[in-house]
Amino acid sequence: MLFFWTLSSMEGQCKTGENALIDPAAAFETYSDMVYRLAFIRTGNKADADDILSEVFLRLVKNVHKIKSEEHLKPWLIRVTLNCSNSFLGSIKRRRQTEYSEADRAVFMEENSVLPAVLRLPEHQKCIVYMYYFEGYSVEEISKICSVPVGTVKSRLSRARDTLRLELKGENLDV
Amino acid sequence: MFKDNFIKELSKITPDDGTKNYVLRQMNEVQKGQTKVKTRYRFTKKTRSFKAAVATVLCICIIALSTWIAAPSVNSGIITSSVSEGVPANVTYSGIYNLFSSIYKVQEAPKNVWDVIEKFFGLNFSLSAAPFGCGAADGSADFSKDVTEDITDAETSSTVLEDTEDYSTTNRQVNDVDEADIIKTDGKYIYTLNNENDMVYITRADKGKLKDAVMFSASMTEAASINYSQVEEMYVSSDRLIVIGTDSSDYDNTVTKSLIYDISDPENPKFKKSFAQSGNYISSRLVGDVLYMFTDKAFYDKPIEDDVSTYIPMLYETAAPDCPIPENNIFLFSGEIDRSYLIVTSVDCKEAKRIDSKTTLGGGDTVYANTESVYVAAKETSYHYLTDSILLEKYRDTTRLIRFGIDKDKLTAAAEGAVRGEILNQFSMDEHNGYFRIVTTVAGRITEGESTKKSFASTLSETTNALFVLDRDLKQVGSIVNLAPDERVYSVRFIGDYGYFVTYREVDPLFSVDISDPKSPKLLSALKIPGFSEYLHPYDDGLLLGIGKEDNYVKLSMFDISDPSMVLEKDKLICYSSSYSTASNHKAVLVNKEKNIIGFAGSDDYFIYSYDKEKGFVQRAKLPYVIKNEQNPDYSLSYSDVENTRGLYIGDYFYLCNLRGITSYSIDDFELVTQYSF
């Protein structure tokens, strides 16, 4: 109940101004799962994903005027999520935690699951695997969103596939 | 099948409703401009219970800080650099901890820095034989030969205005240390940096009359596709305009840039040079002509041996090769270390020449600077595990500090230390007569002789607040701990030998504490007042201005601090504007005693008050952010209008500036003079 109340009260308060085409509350409803999943893929744990989710959408509220159209919103959110999650990476404490969360993963994942293998991929490759397989972006689109040359996206994707094929078994070999 | 399974498994990962609800509330508050939400550290039990507290209340603790504090009395709060304490046994880098602790000497780079970096980043190579860097103070190119580029056609012959009148500056913490902002004036022109379209607008302001001089783009990147650069802030100093921004067009490698323009003729600015460094922008300061930039750069991918930029922060400048920070400028924190660097550089803006650069592993997030020292604080995150595998929550309870000595010619990494607790903002720190003072909120109580190891049960149940006094080597010399249990610091200001801070919760005592004898701090008085102050500003001798909230309205308080043992709220005024937290950005506040102006942004209007010892606060004007006219027939006020509005004065005229334009008023009666839209 509280959840819905907050949503509606936000719409009431929302001062969108002349230039803002995006309603942050609506954007949250549509894209919070995406941002959260990407943050999870990046950091490998839910606690950091919580923080990143919050930071990304606060940035959206502040920068909502910069987003020129609905089509720009999703790439913008992906980029900001990648940027925000950078500061959560590389921490020695995170390392420690990631090891623990191996056990965590076992709790909510079945045997033969593919997610742990994806999470073990190098940072660059993980994001591309996510955008390619989960979001269904083409290599060209990923290249635009990440400002990375098409060739680099292709080679990262192909390296990720090679790694996954080595790690995965059975039906999942079909990467 | 991989794809299907991947989608199926990942679809189960969603934020829970509690998290969603919390984020939405934060968004809502930011949108209304009520709260400055601190980044991270949000999802702890503790924070949530604070948010849940309905009644917010204030207490002010006044602490007389004596400068002759000599006898170290309470040592309990300081963190010693004992290294592997509290670290679970199976930490991957356990070997490195010892290495760090044994080699760490902040005064000089350890000889085997490369061994450390090799092991730290899991590299297997040796660079020690091949030092790199750009050479000492190289790049001292002759300024006259630098690349200069006309931005505008020099069509205007600039009219020489008479001598500059008295004008306001950005509200800063330390008088001689300038802080960057989006709107600046030099007394003749008003400079506006639009962070929505990366444009700089220069407008001539002459006795209330406004005339556009020039506008140009200060974009941080040339990348054409989706623009991921962001201008942040700028400085105007003598005849230099410095625009600071970040360029993340390569998302793996965000760089922070400063673009230096020659504005000796403000109507014909010339681009001189740009300097950049790896990392996200933390803050900057300008002391005289020297710009200090602070960034934070995390490395998270496995480094490539041949590519030094994959593990060492880089420096960039116009018409010079990219170079990594020289190895003798890399320092290491003792204790637990993140794989992120704090990067500090200094640039002489007059000569457009890089002076020095230093970096330290361990990151940073808050900067205090005076003309001699810079202190950078870094919040440390700790993870609290219920069992080996279940993360209960994470919290921050250590503030790591590093001091840099600053000088016109060089930066010196001078000292490192740490204190218990978490700081609020830059005002939580101050240096006076060689002593550094810092106010923190601590999880739990600090008991005498306590080590850094804490009982989690006690740390999570309550908070206390503490003040630490450290010497310039960042060794603790005195402290007051366990103040205001279960409350949290809400604003801090140090004025000379005294410190003032506001905490809040449900009850509202106003504490006054005397620690002129550091061995036995005494509680002097306790007074209850409703509301709380979020920003404190020294107004006059014996007077301290507080801007804060009461019942969700803006509240102005004037505290009489002439007798620290009897602090009084001398005057107060509730401004019936739904409150916009001016405190979240001190640069948006205008306070000047001579002009008798207290200006701040309300939620719908900009307010101007004056203060009189007899009459108290008097409202002088309530100015609209945007005036309705042909250009703005039906505007609707946006968050950006409120957040990006600054008031300033030049001579006898007051200017209300935001990203839409400038409106000028006579400062005596606030009669509208003219309005100018960009």
Side-chain angles (χ1 to χ4, degrees):
Chain A
M1 282 308 280
L2 186 57
F3 178 49
F4 293 111
W5 174 83
T6 314
L7 258 183
S8 57
S9 78
M10 229 180 111
E11 277 156 17
Q13 298 282 357
C14 184
K15 296 172 181 170
T16 43
E18 289 162 31
N19 307 320
L21 297 159
I22 310 294
D23 173 14
F28 185 82
E29 207 170 6
T30 317
Y31 294 114
S32 57
D33 286 356
M34 179 198 78
V35 168
Y36 190 81
R37 284 180 193 129
L38 184 54
F40 178 84
I41 284 279
R42 208 89 206 284
T43 61
N45 75 77
K46 290 185 159 193
D48 284 342
D50 278 345
D51 278 352
I52 294 166
L53 179 73
S54 166
E55 195 158 325
V56 168
F57 279 94
L58 291 179
R59 285 200 199 179
L60 175 68
V61 171
K62 294 193 160 194
N63 291 295
V64 72
H65 296 264
K66 295 187 84 175
I67 299 163
K68 304 284 178 262
S69 71
E70 206 52 64
E71 301 95 78
H72 283 107
L73 178 62
K74 196 174 172 186
W76 188 90
L77 285 169
I78 291 177
R79 280 292 292 258
V80 173
T81 308
L82 294 177
N83 276 334
C84 285
S85 50
N86 282 355
S87 56
F88 285 82
L89 297 163
S91 147
I92 203 163
K93 283 152 277 179
R94 189 187 74 88
R95 280 295 183 126
R96 189 203 314 163
Q97 192 194 14
T98 311
E99 283 159 30
Y100 284 126
S101 56
E102 290 279 353
D104 264 343
R105 283 180 211 137
V107 176
F108 57 84
M109 273 169 223
E110 304 123 36
E111 213 179 323
N112 257 342
S113 60
V114 299
L115 206 41
V118 175
L119 288 172
R120 277 194 295 270
L121 290 173
E123 301 296 342
H124 296 303
Q125 299 177 14
K126 276 194 226 178
C127 306
I128 287 172
V129 165
Y130 169 80
M131 282 191 264
Y132 187 82
Y133 287 105
F134 196 89
E135 297 294 336
Y137 279 118
S138 71
V139 171
E140 287 73 23
E141 284 167 325
I142 295 172
S143 146
K144 260 189 208 159
I145 292 170
C146 298
S147 310
V148 173
V150 175
T152 313
V153 177
K154 280 183 183 162
S155 65
R156 285 179 186 171
L157 189 59
S158 124
R159 258 180 257 136
R161 283 168 169 158
D162 291 345
T163 314
L164 289 171
R165 265 185 223 116
L166 284 176
E167 296 219 354
L168 299 172
K169 294 178 196 99
E171 54 168 19
N172 291 326
L173 268 174
D174 157 40
V175 179
Chain B
M1 292 308 114
F2 166 78
K3 188 178 173 181
D4 297 343
N5 286 340
F6 181 56
I7 291 175
K8 198 178 89 196
E9 286 171 32
L10 196 56
S11 299
K12 292 181 196 158
I13 310 277
T14 51
D16 60 38
D17 281 358
T19 301
K20 281 185 168 182
N21 188 14
Y22 185 77
V23 175
L24 276 166
R25 232 178 324 142
Q26 297 280 29
M27 289 167 68
N28 197 6
E29 284 181 18
V30 167
Q31 207 154 14
K32 288 191 291 182
Q34 284 189 339
T35 320
K36 186 190 182 189
V37 180
K38 285 196 286 172
T39 52
R40 291 171 227 156
Y41 187 53
R42 299 198 189 94
F43 292 96
T44 66
K45 206 162 62 184
K46 211 162 47 212
T47 323
R48 280 182 177 152
S49 68
F50 270 111
K51 300 284 173 193
V54 179
T56 52
V57 176
L58 146 88
C59 86
I60 292 198
C61 303
I62 284 87
I63 292 129
L65 294 178
S66 174
T67 47
W68 44 264
I69 295 166
S73 53
V74 192
N75 294 326
S76 48
I78 200 91
I79 304 286
T80 53
S81 305
S82 59
V83 199
S84 46
E85 207 167 11
V87 178
N90 58 345
V91 169
T92 328
Y93 292 117
S94 56
I96 300 297
Y97 283 100
N98 297 325
L99 196 52
F100 272 111
S101 72
S102 61
I103 62 166
Y104 181 75
K105 287 268 192 313
V106 80
Q107 279 79 7
E108 53 173 355
K111 291 276 183 293
N112 50 352
V113 60
W114 289 113
D115 292 350
V116 178
I117 286 175
E118 268 178 51
K119 287 181 182 135
F120 196 60
F121 287 102
L123 292 173
N124 183 25
F125 67 102
S126 177
L127 258 181
S128 39
F132 57 82
C134 293
D138 199 8
S140 48
D142 184 5
F143 187 48
S144 57
K145 288 179 196 156
D146 279 346
V147 198
T148 58
E149 175 189 318
D150 277 11
I151 288 168
T152 53
D153 303 323
E155 43 159 353
T156 41
S157 58
S158 73
T159 321
V160 179
L161 303 177
E162 66 265 43
D163 282 343
T164 311
E165 296 169 289
D166 172 31
Y167 61 92
S168 57
T169 56
T170 299
N171 186 21
R172 35 176 105 142
Q173 183 178 11
V174 177
N175 260 340
D176 300 327
V177 181
D178 201 2
E179 297 176 32
D181 198 9
I182 51 165
I183 289 160
K184 290 273 182 182
T185 180
D186 59 5
K188 290 175 182 170
Y189 291 85
I190 295 170
Y191 302 81
T192 310
L193 179 66
N194 187 328
N195 51 24
E196 287 166 15
N197 62 8
D198 295 354
M199 298 294 281
V200 176
Y201 299 86
I202 304 181
T203 314
R204 208 174 96 191
D206 184 15
K207 303 218 176 304
K209 292 196 284 292
L210 295 161
K211 184 172 171 296
D212 58 325
V214 68
M215 57 182 268
F216 61 91
S217 166
S219 178
M220 294 291 149
T221 175
E222 280 139 36
S225 57
I226 310 173
N227 195 345
Y228 289 105
S229 71
Q230 163 98 44
V231 295
E232 305 272 355
E233 300 180 302
M234 69 176 166
Y235 290 97
V236 170
S237 160
S238 47
D239 48 10
R240 292 287 178 269
L241 170 74
I242 305 146
V243 180
I244 295 170
T246 51
D247 175 3
S248 38
S249 39
D250 174 0
Y251 83 92
D252 294 326
N253 186 23
T254 297
V255 298
T256 300
K257 285 187 181 171
S258 54
L259 311 182
I260 299 180
Y261 296 88
D262 179 350
I263 49 162
S264 43
D265 174 5
E267 310 216 351
N268 188 17
K270 289 184 173 66
F271 174 72
K272 279 295 175 196
K273 210 163 182 180
S274 94
F275 294 89
Q277 64 197 66
S278 302
N280 291 309
Y281 181 57
I282 299 173
S283 189
S284 63
R285 294 291 187 277
L286 187 70
V287 183
D289 287 325
V290 183
L291 171 72
Y292 298 92
M293 293 250 285
F294 305 88
T295 58
D296 184 277
K297 167 75 181 166
F299 287 96
Y300 46 87
D301 258 326
K302 185 167 166 53
I304 301 159
E305 292 190 20
D306 305 335
D307 185 356
V308 80
S309 72
T310 58
Y311 50 94
I312 300 291
M314 300 290 286
L315 302 173
Y316 311 88
E317 68 180 86
T318 315
D322 302 347
C323 74
I325 291 192
E327 61 181 331
N328 54 359
N329 285 351
I330 301 172
F331 297 88
L332 305 161
F333 264 122
S334 48
E336 290 196 21
I337 300 190
D338 285 350
R339 281 171 74 175
S340 66
Y341 289 90
L342 164 74
I343 303 138
V344 189
T345 62
S346 56
V347 169
D348 184 330
C349 298
K350 197 86 188 158
E351 303 293 324
K353 187 173 90 180
R354 195 186 295 283
I355 301 170
D356 206 349
S357 60
K358 290 279 182 287
T359 187
T360 165
L361 265 169
D365 46 51
T366 312
V367 175
Y368 164 82
N370 60 26
T371 52
E372 291 169 358
S373 295
V374 169
Y375 292 84
V376 184
K379 293 168 190 173
E380 267 192 357
T381 312
S382 305
Y383 291 86
H384 171 210
Y385 293 93
L386 196 60
T387 68
D388 271 3
S389 60
I390 299 168
L391 176 73
L392 188 62
E393 63 179 359
K394 54 182 190 177
Y395 66 94
R396 302 188 153 196
D397 196 33
T398 301
T399 299
R400 223 171 31 211
L401 296 162
I402 185 154
R403 179 169 84 83
F404 294 95
I406 59 172
D407 190 301
K408 239 185 133 32
D409 310 317
K410 63 176 190 297
L411 285 164
T412 331
E416 66 131 5
V419 292
R420 277 284 301 277
E422 188 189 6
I423 62 169
L424 175 74
N425 57 27
Q426 68 188 71
F427 291 97
S428 302
M429 301 184 278
D430 184 73
E431 190 192 67
H432 183 64
N433 285 353
Y435 286 95
F436 178 71
R437 298 90 60 92
I438 182 167
V439 170
T440 65
T441 297
V442 181
R445 286 182 167 272
I446 296 174
T447 51
E448 212 153 333
E450 175 191 69
S451 77
T452 55
K453 260 187 181 166
K454 298 173 289 288
S455 147
F456 286 109
S458 77
T459 56
L460 297 178
S461 59
E462 63 170 347
T463 61
T464 57
N465 299 282
L467 172 132
F468 301 105
V469 183
L470 287 77
D471 64 17
R472 285 192 145 196
D473 294 327
L474 291 171
K475 299 276 177 289
Q476 187 179 341
V477 293
S479 70
I480 310 180
V481 297
N482 300 333
L483 287 165
D486 279 349
E487 304 195 356
R488 200 169 179 83
V489 172
Y490 227 62
S491 58
V492 188
R493 193 83 193 216
F494 290 94
I495 306 171
D497 285 348
Y498 297 91
Y500 306 86
F501 68 93
V502 173
T503 63
Y504 83 104
R505 208 200 49 169
E506 287 132 52
V507 287
D508 53 351
L510 174 118
F511 289 116
S512 156
V513 183
D514 176 5
I515 57 156
S516 52
D517 177 3
K519 285 181 186 171
S520 57
K522 282 183 220 109
L523 182 68
L524 293 182
S525 72
L527 165 79
K528 284 187 182 188
I529 51 166
F532 57 88
S533 294
E534 293 175 299
Y535 175 68
L536 297 171
H537 190 102
Y539 188 73
D540 198 356
D541 269 356
L543 289 177
L544 178 73
L545 169 71
I547 303 178
K549 279 183 203 165
E550 182 175 333
D551 293 340
N552 240 4
Y553 293 115
V554 178
K555 176 195 181 185
L556 298 175
S557 302
M558 193 60 83
F559 298 103
D560 182 348
I561 54 169
S562 48
D563 178 5
S565 67
M566 187 60 95
V567 171
L568 297 168
E569 189 182 45
K570 196 170 174 300
D571 288 291
K572 79 161 187 179
L573 184 130
I574 307 286
C575 164
Y576 288 98
S577 159
S578 73
S579 75
Y580 169 71
S581 172
T582 50
S584 66
N585 182 3
H586 64 277
K587 295 167 189 173
V589 179
L590 173 69
V591 183
N592 185 279
K593 205 205 114 214
E594 279 67 44
K595 298 268 177 193
N596 202 352
I597 278 187
I598 299 165
F600 59 91
S603 56
D604 298 306
D605 301 282
Y606 190 88
F607 289 92
I608 295 168
Y609 283 84
S610 63
Y611 178 75
D612 183 291
K613 279 186 179 164
E614 270 71 53
K615 293 183 208 147
F617 291 102
V618 178
Q619 182 177 311
R620 291 181 66 189
K622 190 169 107 171
L623 309 174
Y625 288 117
V626 180
I627 294 176
K628 256 186 201 180
N629 61 9
E630 307 81 55
Q631 279 160 307
N632 304 300
D634 44 11
Y635 86 92
S636 64
L637 193 64
S638 73
Y639 174 67
S640 147
D641 290 325
V642 181
E643 191 191 47
N644 296 320
T645 291
R646 303 284 185 273
L648 60 91
Y649 66 81
I650 302 172
D652 295 329
Y653 294 89
F654 177 85
Y655 300 88
L656 192 66
C657 314
N658 58 30
L659 304 185
R660 294 176 189 244
I662 303 174
T663 317
S664 62
Y665 299 89
S666 144
I667 208 166
D668 299 321
D669 49 11
F670 287 93
E671 278 296 310
L672 176 71
V673 178
T674 184
Q675 189 198 8
Y676 173 75
S677 299
F678 293 132

